[in-house]
Amino acid sequence: MRVYTYFALALSIITITSCSDAGYKFKLNTSKKTTLGKKAAIKFEQLKGDKIDSVQIYVDNKRVNKNETSVAINTADFGVGKHAVTALAFYPNKSKKINNSIEILAKEAPAVYSYKIVNTFPHDKDAYTQGLEYKDGFLYETTGRRGQSTLRKVDLKTGDVLKKIDLDKKYFGEGMTILNNKIYWLTWQARKGFVYDLDTFKQVGEFDYNNSNEGWGLTHNDAELIKSDGTNKIWFLDAKNQNEKRNVQVYTNKYPVDNLNEIELINGKVYANKWQQNSIVIINPETGVVEGVANLNGLRDIVAKEQSLEPSDDVLNGIAYDTENNRLFVTGKHWGKLFEIELIKK
């Protein structure tokens, strides 16, 4: 787990983007960094030339002014992350676009969690775990690597694989989720997902993702599929047609949190593994704010005492939640154990 050290943030840094054209010159000022919930000033200035006709100011393609040349935006309307700021100046027979940006950080440091082990169950050491989900007393799991990717139904108590199908060898399987008696399974770099009947494992559909570059983790909120792509973004897809609708950026009060991998929606929050770190981050899906972090290195240490693990590869990956009984399960790639744990806020 990365050690999180938090310093006071200077908010007074100003960036300036300017342009000139045919005797006109403009500049666009924005606060370089600010925190969520604060007002942020955006100011358009004309430095040279006859009076312009009008100016339009946008943040992430959303217009934020009427006729004024300066505006204070509510950062809560945009969430954490880097946001594009654009001014479009209109003058006789011409227009000019000026670009800048603003970065919005979380207001507070995330809470830190420890854990306790409630139960330990067997897990297939051959499983290169990518996705994990609990439903009706069973675990459903997807494994990865090209030519070795599988979809499985697993007995929780014994770790026995009760049903399994292979993914086409040209694909690298990634995360999965279950919604409305269907399994949605991502692939890594093919920008394609597959849909299966939960009971028969028969493929019943497929879908593409065009804006997010890769498929990593998948969960849902009943109306939407929620997807990670290995960056610091969480994507929301229409559950009916799997079209990408929007995304949020994931940030602490200091920096973006990237390499988001396997994810699970638990009590309204997105729990995410951070790739190659044996940790879980707890994310507010509305704002992208990291509200909690949990270091689970101790679980990997337990497994490593009994079997050989690759340091950079056989890491924590797999989060499942039993909603009815409030049970949280985690495992890792090639781990011979699956843990039921309870997170405890320090």
Side-chain angles (χ1 to χ4, degrees):
M1 175 63 186
R2 181 178 298 173
V3 177
Y4 289 85
T5 306
Y6 300 95
F7 298 94
L9 176 67
L11 302 178
S12 59
I13 301 173
I14 300 296
T15 60
I16 300 175
T17 300
S18 63
C19 70
S20 59
D21 180 45
Y24 288 84
K25 188 174 183 180
F26 316 107
K27 70 177 180 179
L28 179 62
N29 297 343
T30 67
S31 301
K32 185 176 181 180
K33 291 185 179 181
T34 187
T35 53
L36 190 69
K38 287 192 173 184
K39 295 285 187 178
I42 301 172
K43 185 176 182 181
F44 170 86
E45 293 185 68
Q46 181 177 354
L47 305 177
K48 182 180 178 182
D50 297 332
K51 184 177 179 181
I52 64 172
D53 297 326
S54 63
V55 61
Q56 299 175 1
I57 300 174
Y58 298 85
V59 177
D60 289 345
N61 297 316
K62 176 183 178 182
R63 187 168 177 181
V64 294
N65 78 322
K66 293 183 179 179
N67 299 311
E68 65 271 32
T69 56
S70 63
V71 64
I73 64 167
N74 183 355
T75 56
D77 293 338
F78 297 94
V80 292
K82 290 184 178 179
H83 301 276
V85 180
T86 303
L88 189 60
F90 295 90
Y91 49 103
N93 301 317
K94 288 188 178 182
S95 63
K96 191 72 177 180
K97 181 186 288 187
I98 314 166
N99 297 313
N100 210 325
S101 65
I102 186 169
E103 188 172 24
I104 303 171
L105 306 182
K107 183 178 180 181
E108 299 176 348
V112 178
Y113 288 82
S114 61
Y115 67 90
K116 72 175 183 180
I117 299 173
V118 179
N119 281 304
T120 303
F121 303 96
H123 181 251
D124 181 6
K125 290 187 290 186
D126 292 331
Y128 190 77
T129 305
Q130 300 287 61
L132 192 69
E133 190 145 339
Y134 178 92
K135 183 173 177 60
D136 298 334
F138 299 96
L139 289 172
Y140 292 82
E141 183 174 15
T142 49
T143 68
R145 289 188 168 158
R146 194 166 281 107
Q148 302 176 36
S149 301
T150 62
L151 167 64
R152 306 170 171 207
K153 181 179 182 180
V154 179
D155 185 289
L156 169 63
K157 292 183 179 180
T158 67
D160 292 340
V161 178
L162 306 177
K163 185 183 296 186
K164 182 175 74 170
I165 62 168
D166 297 325
L167 187 63
D168 188 304
K169 294 185 182 299
K170 67 182 178 180
Y171 295 115
F172 190 121
E174 284 282 348
M176 55 79 69
T177 194
I178 300 170
L179 177 61
N180 297 329
N181 217 46
K182 294 178 180 178
I183 298 171
Y184 296 84
W185 186 8
L186 300 176
T187 62
W188 180 26
Q189 295 177 318
R191 294 192 172 187
K192 184 178 290 292
F194 297 99
V195 187
Y196 300 84
D197 179 86
L198 175 63
D199 298 321
T200 65
F201 278 17
K202 180 181 178 180
Q203 185 180 333
V204 294
E206 61 181 60
F207 59 96
D208 298 324
Y209 29 97
N210 299 311
N211 295 314
S212 53
N213 288 329
E214 297 180 352
W216 285 48
L218 197 64
T219 186
H220 70 86
N221 61 10
D222 292 333
E224 298 166 310
L225 301 178
I226 304 173
K227 174 182 176 292
S228 65
D229 65 355
T231 69
N232 73 312
K233 290 183 178 180
I234 297 291
W235 295 82
F236 296 83
L237 286 62
D238 189 306
K240 294 181 179 179
N241 56 26
Q242 296 82 58
N243 289 339
E244 293 161 317
K245 297 165 56 179
R246 69 187 190 283
N247 69 75
V248 296
Q249 300 175 63
V250 177
Y251 266 71
T252 67
N253 64 323
K254 188 179 179 182
Y255 46 67
V257 179
D258 58 5
N259 289 323
L260 298 173
N261 199 2
E262 221 275 289
I263 57 177
E264 182 84 1
L265 189 72
I266 301 175
N267 298 324
K269 307 297 182 181
V270 173
Y271 284 53
N273 288 145
K274 184 169 166 57
W275 170 236
Q276 291 190 328
Q277 295 187 16
N278 301 294
S279 62
I280 286 178
V281 294
I282 302 171
I283 304 160
N284 184 319
E286 300 300 322
T287 64
V289 169
V290 176
E291 297 183 349
V293 294
N295 183 339
L296 305 184
N297 269 316
L299 298 180
R300 189 182 188 280
D301 292 341
I302 292 172
V303 178
K305 288 179 181 179
E306 300 182 6
Q307 64 182 93
S308 176
L309 297 176
E310 291 294 331
S312 64
D313 206 25
D314 297 340
V315 293
L316 182 82
N317 203 61
I319 308 172
Y321 184 63
D322 175 4
T323 304
E324 184 176 348
N325 299 296
N326 189 31
R327 296 190 294 172
L328 174 62
F329 304 102
V330 296
T331 190
K333 300 177 184 297
H334 294 149
W335 287 17
K337 293 182 183 294
L338 179 139
F339 299 93
E340 178 188 343
I341 63 171
E342 179 184 341
L343 296 183
I344 304 167
K345 185 182 290 189
K346 290 185 176 180

